[in-house]
């Protein structure tokens, strides 16, 4: 998928060793938005006209003494200021949830929550932040019309699922491309070490 560092990071914030990416705190080098901490990779583009399914597959472990929310994985379209079509958030309560917005393209003032995806319920274990590894699999089925189904598995069990359906309202910006992002993205900086072992993207259909 042509993974690369998203917008750059502080020295040493992302390293690669023994098949694992290791993420540490970094200031946000991207423009727009209100999030102050970003240590992420992003993939190459996926055409919004492609009818294709992918499975993002990795084993993640988070080690921190703090309970900050952070974004673990995203399907982005390059917008500034609003949540992308889909973000997977590791919450302060140690569950997972989706974030998703529609955007008018006016920064934070142009955001409208996509309650369809945000309303999905989590049915999984309480996630630990002591370095416990979790096998994470995010399956994405793009429909070729700007929408996609998403399902999340932890250790082989489904825990969260939903669908991103683009709005038919012309006030909202239409996605011109999609790409994946993986790492740690948070509104407030905090100390952590996250490992992502064996990260791969597989064709799922």
């Amino acid at each position: 998928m042509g993974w690369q560092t998203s917008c750059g990071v502080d020295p040493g914030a992302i390293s690669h060793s023994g098949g694992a990416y290791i993420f540490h705190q970094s200031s946000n080098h991207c423009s727009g938005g209100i999030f102050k901490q970003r240590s992420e990779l992003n993939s190459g583009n996926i055409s919004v006209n492609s009818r294709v399914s992918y499975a993002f597959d990795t084993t993640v472990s988070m080690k921190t003494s703090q309970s900050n929310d952070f974004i673990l994985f995203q399907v982005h379209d390059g917008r500034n200021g609003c949540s992308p079509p889909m973000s997977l958030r590791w919450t302060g309560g140690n569950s997972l949830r989706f974030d998703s917005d529609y955007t008018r393209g006016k920064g934070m003032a142009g955001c409208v929550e996509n309650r369809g995806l945000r309303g999905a319920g989590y049915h999984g274990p309480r996630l630990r932040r002591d370095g416990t590894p979790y096998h994470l699999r995010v399956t994405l089925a793009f429909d070729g019309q700007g929408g996609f189904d998403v399902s999340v598995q932890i250790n082989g069990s489904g825990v969260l699922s939903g669908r991103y359906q683009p709005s038919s309202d012309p006030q909202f910006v239409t996605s011109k491309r999609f790409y994946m992002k993986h790492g740690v993205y948070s509104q407030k900086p905090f100390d952590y070490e996250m490992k992502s072992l064996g990260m791969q993207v597989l064709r799922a259909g």
Side-chain angles (χ1 to χ4, degrees), residues 76-150:
H76 219 294
D77 61 0
R79 66 184 62 179
N80 287 322
C82 300
S83 290
M86 189 280 289
S87 291
L88 182 63
R89 179 185 293 267
W90 184 321
T91 73
N94 292 314
S95 63
L96 298 175
R97 82 163 197 243
F98 292 132
D99 289 352
S100 180
D101 283 350
Y102 299 119
T103 178
R104 300 184 186 97
K106 301 176 182 178
M108 297 302 295
C111 308
V112 175
E113 291 188 349
N114 173 14
R115 297 196 175 274
L117 200 53
R118 285 177 179 265
Y122 177 71
H123 305 285
R126 185 175 184 273
L127 303 174
R128 301 174 65 90
R129 300 184 181 217
D130 60 359
T132 298
Y134 296 100
H135 180 204
L136 171 68
R137 189 178 181 96
V138 182
T139 303
L140 301 158
F142 296 93
D143 64 9
Q145 300 179 45
F148 55 88
D149 294 307
V150 52

